[in-house]
Amino acid sequence: MITKTKEGKKSSITDEQLIARFQLGDVQAFDILVRRYKDQLLNFIYRFVGNRSDAEDIVQETFLRVYKNKHYYKEIAKFSTWVYTIAGNLAKTELRRRKRHKIFSVSNFINEERDYDIPDKEHSPEKKVDSSIQETIIQKAIEKLPIKFKEVIILRDIQGFAYEEISQILNIPLGTVKSRVNRGRLKLQEDLKFLYETEPNTRP
Amino acid sequence: MIDCDKLRTNFSDYLDEELPIEQRKELEDHFSVCLECQETIRQMKIIQRSLKQLPQISVSPDFEQKLHQQIFRANQKTTFLPPPFHNWKIPAMGSAIVLATVSLFLVFNDSTEDKSVPVVPPTKIYSPAAPQLPGNKSMNISTTEEESSNSYQSSTLVRDSLGADSSLIDKSGVMTVGNK
């Protein structure tokens, strides 16, 4: 199944209305929010920590915190901002914990079972393998980025958030977000140039 | 000559098409002469597209079931176990009860001794020269001293005290001595 960020929200009821209902005790509203956000949060965390199992645990913990701390949500912020802030902080804590314990998730990534679909259905099986290798290389490059660049690149270029919302999620100024996105993109280009380099005489 | 590093700060805005027209034109003019920057921006475009096309994963089928179990366990913990802030209250209450009991015992014990003096006035009192003895005697002594300061039968007390025997005070206290 392909789940795309920001898609699938066809219901007329907003996230903010749902969390308000949940704050009044409607547990079904919480379940709807879980269904809306579980996959996009998983993808966000997965790109962050590079390990599917850890990512799913962090998403579980995120929703558990939402459940237990529902009254801390104030309508001044979007629900997505609040839930992504919680998830992002948990992911950063996990990365710091790994750093302390010297666990390198990059080595785990290759052996990890992947049960997702490749989005481009026109790919031939050979191309599918190629894109799978390419994806592994890109994922490694993302993981190599310093956390401050990694979080903005994932939110902007993978999850498709607006700069303003990234600024709110990370609680940093808009200018800092833009600057970090630029530096993160340049760093990725530097690390991945071997993948996309063309011979000088074949350039347009 | 235009500084490439300075222009690179605008690459992101260029990719996002958020650059004002003048700056956009300036960059494109630069790309036409600087092959390195041209190649960099080309690769950045590909990478940006690749990131958008990364395959999406979905949570495992039992995700919601696991979450409900976690929530149930968390609720159970809150409902059936004493919250952390209650932990200190139980021993504190126990200590308070013990302290209160001991205090009450001491107060009542003391007041009993106080009452004995006026009911049966002592005929003898300990000699100030007598050795200090442990136990209730010290309380009796202080009581007797207080009473003596009130000139209560002071002449009798002084007279009796002359014949007081410290060993008698030690064994039976002031009351016994007085009765004898």
Side-chain angles (χ1 to χ4, degrees), chain A residues 37-198:
Chain A
Y37 280 92
K38 59 183 181 178
D39 287 331
Q40 48 177 297
L41 280 178
L42 180 73
N43 282 283
F44 169 53
I45 302 297
Y46 172 61
R47 295 295 166 200
F48 218 106
V49 299
N51 177 295
R52 193 203 163 96
S53 169
D54 287 350
E56 196 155 323
D57 287 348
I58 290 171
V59 178
Q60 286 264 343
E61 181 60 27
T62 303
F63 284 123
L64 192 61
R65 289 194 182 198
V66 168
Y67 188 93
K68 290 202 280 196
N69 302 291
K70 59 179 181 284
H71 293 297
Y72 284 100
Y73 170 76
K74 305 281 177 234
E75 221 183 323
I76 47 168
K78 285 167 76 177
F79 174 77
S80 59
T81 304
W82 187 53
V83 79
Y84 265 85
T85 305
I86 297 171
N89 285 336
L90 287 170
K92 279 186 261 186
T93 306
E94 169 64 16
L95 289 185
R96 283 191 211 105
R97 188 191 67 80
R98 282 185 190 179
K99 208 174 174 182
R100 281 200 300 274
H101 293 89
K102 296 190 188 305
I103 297 169
F104 297 104
S105 59
V106 175
S107 56
N108 299 335
F109 177 78
I110 297 164
N111 299 325
E112 201 184 339
E113 189 190 342
R114 273 170 264 156
D115 56 348
Y116 46 76
D117 296 326
I118 303 293
D120 190 350
K121 302 292 180 193
E122 289 172 11
H123 275 189
S124 65
E126 293 78 18
K127 278 185 179 172
K128 212 169 187 175
V129 173
D130 283 349
S131 73
S132 179
I133 293 166
Q134 190 173 308
E135 187 224 321
T136 307
I137 294 166
I138 292 171
Q139 175 65 30
K140 281 183 182 179
I142 295 168
E143 285 173 29
K144 256 182 70 183
L145 288 173
I147 290 179
K148 62 180 182 179
F149 297 151
K150 188 184 338 200
E151 58 190 3
V152 292
I153 289 293
I154 297 170
L155 288 169
R156 176 68 191 173
D157 286 342
I158 301 178
Q159 298 261 295
F161 276 97
Y163 284 113
E164 287 78 12
E165 192 163 0
I166 298 173
S167 159
Q168 286 165 7
I169 290 170
L170 302 176
N171 196 24
I172 52 174
L174 186 63
T176 310
V177 176
K178 287 192 168 192
S179 155
R180 285 183 186 176
V181 168
N182 191 55
R183 288 166 70 194
R185 283 173 176 172
L186 283 165
K187 180 86 175 66
L188 269 185
Q189 182 272 329
E190 190 64 32
D191 293 345
L192 293 171
K193 64 161 71 163
F194 72 95
L195 205 61
Y196 304 107
E197 250 169 1
T198 52

Side-chain angles (χ1 to χ4, degrees), chain B residues 120-134:
Chain B
V120 185
T123 51
K124 287 186 179 181
I125 197 162
Y126 86 104
S127 164
Q132 294 285 317
L133 295 168

Side-chain angles (χ1 to χ4, degrees), chain A residues 3-4 31 35 38-39 43 47 52 56 60 64 67 116 119 135 163 178 182 185 189 193 196, chain B residues 8-9 12 16 18 42-43 46 48 52-53 55-60 63-64 67-68 70:
Chain A
T3 50
K4 203 67 193 160
D31 288 338
R35 270 169 229 139
K38 59 183 181 178
D39 287 331
N43 282 283
R47 295 295 166 200
R52 193 203 163 96
E56 196 155 323
Q60 286 264 343
L64 192 61
Y67 188 93
Y116 46 76
E135 187 224 321
Y163 284 113
K178 287 192 168 192
N182 191 55
R185 283 173 176 172
Q189 182 272 329
K193 64 161 71 163
Y196 304 107
Chain B
R8 279 172 184 232
T9 56
S12 218
D16 292 332
E18 288 188 359
R42 187 189 70 83
Q43 289 182 13
I46 298 171
Q48 200 184 19
K52 279 197 179 89
Q53 288 174 349
Q56 303 286 300
I57 57 171
S58 302
V59 295
S60 47
F63 179 86
E64 285 183 52
L67 179 63
H68 286 144
Q70 281 206 58

Side-chain angles (χ1 to χ4, degrees), chain B residues 50-88:
Chain B
S50 302
L51 290 174
K52 279 197 179 89
Q53 288 174 349
L54 280 174
Q56 303 286 300
I57 57 171
S58 302
V59 295
S60 47
D62 60 347
F63 179 86
E64 285 183 52
Q65 193 191 340
K66 274 187 194 169
L67 179 63
H68 286 144
Q69 282 169 355
Q70 281 206 58
I71 289 167
F72 179 74
R73 274 199 294 270
N75 280 341
Q76 234 183 359
K77 214 173 170 183
T78 337
T79 315
F80 299 114
L81 292 177
F85 61 86
H86 280 176
N87 288 348
W88 62 272

